[in-house]
Amino acid sequence: MSRPAGRVLILLELLQSGGTRTVAELAGRLGVEGRTVRRYVDQLIDLDVPVESVRGRYGGYRLAPGYRLPPLMLSDDEALAVLLGLIAGRREGLTTAQRTANETASAKIRRVLPRHLAGRLDTLLDALAFTDEPGTSDTAEPPDSAVLLTLADAVRHRRPVSIRYTDRADRRSERTLHPYGIVAHAGRWYVTGEDASRAEDRTFRLDRIGAARTLPGTFEPPSGPDPAERVLAAFATAEYRHQVTLRIHGTPAHIRTRLPATIATLDDPAGGRDPTAERWLRVRLHAEHLDWLPPLLASLDRPFVIEGPDELRVLTAEFAERLTSYADRA
């Protein structure tokens, strides 16, 4: 494709985004002079694309209202965003169309993608898992698409990767990672795998990975929990100031309504054989602060024993005294 023809297609894409574009704006985006923009517009009109000229101080060019362009023009990032949006929407039940419409839309987009990009997107979808936690993070930064696709390829082919990571304390480091899988959880993206330098399983936020590079060699992923379960377990066992151990009499399902897998782990002596029977379950969690736990334990409305720490016993007793005092008020 020649450079002028490429600029004409970019001009068409800019007009597709809606609104009126001034000649100066279009010239700046295309890197050409105003008269060249007018020549490109004439070429689009020759192709029966209804470009309208808008006069006045804020005039310029726009597409005729209601006109639907037949070609689908998507960049690599746009194609990735659309396909992932269709998949996530179908999982969360957010699509208003029938399931077949969702699938046919995905198929149409795949057909117009370059072969190399379609292959990389298929690799990503094979490596991607979702937790049951809906997307609730309003401040989540999207991951870099190059990082995302590189990690997905490494997951599929069991290749180690070198990543440049910035942790929550703004410390930067280079890590060698054996990635097991990519997980979407609560509006954020994570990769879970073995941090080879520390020989331990870790979970990393993708938006904190500045770069990823595939390394020579292969690795064998361990058996056990799937990537989504590993991410949830990583949240529940993250290092915080307090290690809390409880025994709660209830069903696993009832306890999970207040203490989900992202917060706590459950030790079930019955091995989950009878999920409807109430029994004593040991609950373990880590917390930076303890003041939120007494109200939560009260809301469970089930017998419980605090095995530790002592500070939680004191806070729970004080909370109970406050409730009693409130109830005694006339």
Side-chain angles (χ1 to χ4, degrees):
M1 180 184 294
S2 65
R3 291 181 62 85
R7 292 195 190 101
V8 171
L9 290 177
I10 294 173
L11 171 61
L12 177 58
E13 186 174 357
L14 291 171
L15 295 175
Q16 274 187 267
S17 61
T20 300
R21 303 276 186 163
T22 66
V23 173
E25 178 187 0
L26 293 172
R29 295 291 295 273
L30 298 173
V32 298
E33 296 180 354
R35 61 183 179 181
T36 305
V37 171
R38 297 183 181 91
R39 188 169 70 248
Y40 291 164
V41 168
D42 290 338
Q43 292 180 31
L44 289 177
I45 294 173
D46 289 340
L47 294 171
D48 293 327
V49 177
V51 181
E52 295 182 342
S53 176
V54 180
R55 298 184 180 278
R57 181 179 178 184
Y58 300 104
Y61 294 104
R62 68 183 181 195
L63 290 178
Y67 180 75
R68 301 178 64 182
L69 293 171
L72 178 64
M73 301 176 58
L74 294 175
S75 67
D76 292 2
D77 284 348
E78 288 170 340
L80 176 61
V82 170
L83 284 175
L84 290 178
L86 288 171
I87 293 167
R90 186 169 65 225
R91 280 185 51 88
E92 301 295 335
L94 298 178
T95 53
T96 57
Q98 296 180 349
R99 181 183 180 87
T100 53
N102 190 298
E103 292 173 349
T104 55
S106 299
K108 288 178 181 179
I109 294 174
R110 288 171 184 271
R111 281 200 299 268
V112 300
L113 293 177
R115 182 175 299 177
H116 77 280
L117 179 59
R120 298 190 76 187
L121 290 178
D122 286 336
T123 297
L124 171 60
L125 299 180
D126 289 341
L128 179 62
F130 291 83
T131 66
D132 292 332
E133 188 75 16
T136 56
S137 179
D138 295 330
T139 60
E141 291 291 331
D144 181 87
S145 59
V147 169
L148 186 59
L149 294 172
T150 298
L151 289 173
D153 186 74
V155 169
R156 183 173 190 176
H157 296 100
R158 300 178 179 179
R159 300 283 300 277
V161 290
S162 173
I163 61 173
R164 187 169 69 245
Y165 191 71
T166 303
D167 64 16
R168 60 184 176 184
D170 206 29
R171 295 186 297 260
R172 293 173 174 81
S173 61
E174 295 280 343
R175 312 286 186 98
T176 297
L177 179 67
H178 296 169
Y180 305 151
I182 298 170
V183 179
H185 168 72
R188 293 191 187 277
W189 294 76
Y190 299 88
V191 59
T192 182
E194 182 190 36
D195 187 338
S197 60
R198 301 185 182 183
E200 62 182 17
D201 286 355
R202 296 292 304 277
T203 295
F204 298 98
R205 268 177 44 181
L206 259 67
D207 60 309
R208 290 178 175 166
I209 298 178
R213 176 172 53 88
T214 305
L215 299 175
T218 60
F219 68 91
E220 189 64 30
S223 59
D226 63 32
E229 292 172 334
R230 290 178 182 275
V231 168
L232 295 178
F235 283 113
T237 58
E239 294 185 3
Y240 291 102
R241 185 184 308 173
H242 302 286
Q243 297 184 17
V244 178
T245 307
L246 309 162
R247 282 188 295 119
I248 302 175
H249 192 267
T251 66
H254 184 77
I255 293 173
R256 283 303 190 200
T257 61
R258 295 293 186 271
L259 293 165
T262 52
I263 295 177
T265 59
L266 292 183
D267 296 338
D268 185 0
R273 288 188 296 272
D274 188 357
T276 62
E278 292 194 358
R279 53 192 177 272
W280 285 101
L281 299 169
R282 180 165 275 105
V283 179
R284 307 176 193 273
L285 60 97
H286 295 70
E288 191 68 21
H289 305 284
L290 297 174
D291 52 356
W292 59 277
L293 272 169
L296 185 145
L297 292 173
S299 70
L300 278 169
D301 194 25
R302 291 293 186 275
F304 64 87
V305 176
I306 298 173
E307 295 185 346
D310 291 338
E311 183 180 347
L312 180 58
R313 293 192 186 95
V314 174
L315 289 173
T316 303
E318 292 175 349
F319 178 73
E321 289 176 1
R322 287 199 303 274
L323 289 182
T324 301
S325 69
Y326 299 154
D328 288 341
R329 292 178 180 175

